[in-house]
Amino acid sequence: MLEQLQHAYEQSLQNLVFVDFSNKKVISSGGIRGLEIELAKEKACRKDLVTVINHHFKNNDFDLAIELIGSLTKRADYIKQLEKQVKDYRRKQLSEIASQFELGKVSAVSYDANPS
């Protein structure tokens, strides 16, 4: 259920569009997609490593499990780095959009995609 909600949230963020009416252009939030894909890949890798570590512990193969824990630690550090990059990028994008709102260059428009 949580994964479905996260997926729906990600999809809604992708469909979010800001329009600069004075310059007649759409302000895109692109450029982050590759970083988000890398982050998702690393999180899946982390999940797989945890599964393999548990398997090795169950089979009393402690040396291999300990070796994989080292790899898991490196993956966790890399994931933290990617999450920080994504957060910084989004913060920068929101700051740019907010400054354009303050300057009056951008207006918010509401549109109901499902008219009743």
Side-chain angles (χ1 to χ4, degrees):
M1 177 70 169
L2 181 60
E3 288 181 25
Q4 292 171 337
L5 289 173
Q6 288 174 336
H7 181 70
Y9 175 72
E10 289 171 7
Q11 289 296 322
S12 67
L13 285 178
Q14 289 177 5
N15 295 330
L16 187 62
V17 175
F18 295 94
V19 179
D20 179 351
F21 288 103
S22 62
N23 294 321
K24 298 179 182 174
K25 68 177 184 175
V26 173
I27 301 170
S28 169
S29 61
I32 194 170
R33 191 70 185 141
L35 195 57
E36 289 174 333
I37 290 171
E38 179 72 13
L39 180 59
K41 180 189 77 137
E42 288 300 323
K43 285 183 176 182
C45 179
R46 176 194 62 193
K47 198 174 188 180
D48 291 344
L49 272 172
V50 169
T51 302
V52 171
I53 290 168
N54 286 334
H55 174 75
H56 288 303
F57 270 119
K58 287 178 185 175
N59 292 336
N60 295 323
D61 193 359
F62 300 116
D63 292 333
L64 190 52
I66 291 170
E67 183 180 327
L68 289 173
I69 288 172
S71 178
L72 181 63
T73 303
K74 290 177 186 175
R75 294 291 90 198
D77 292 340
Y78 185 57
I79 287 170
K80 284 180 187 177
Q81 178 186 353
L82 287 173
E83 286 175 338
K84 183 182 180 321
Q85 288 176 353
V86 168
K87 189 184 295 183
D88 290 345
Y89 183 89
R90 288 181 178 161
R91 186 176 293 125
K92 180 183 173 201
Q93 289 295 104
L94 286 174
S95 177
E96 289 175 7
I97 291 169
S99 70
Q100 290 185 11
F101 270 117
E102 288 176 356
L103 296 174
K105 292 182 178 179
V106 179
S107 299
V109 177
S110 175
Y111 177 74
D112 185 5
N114 297 320
S116 301

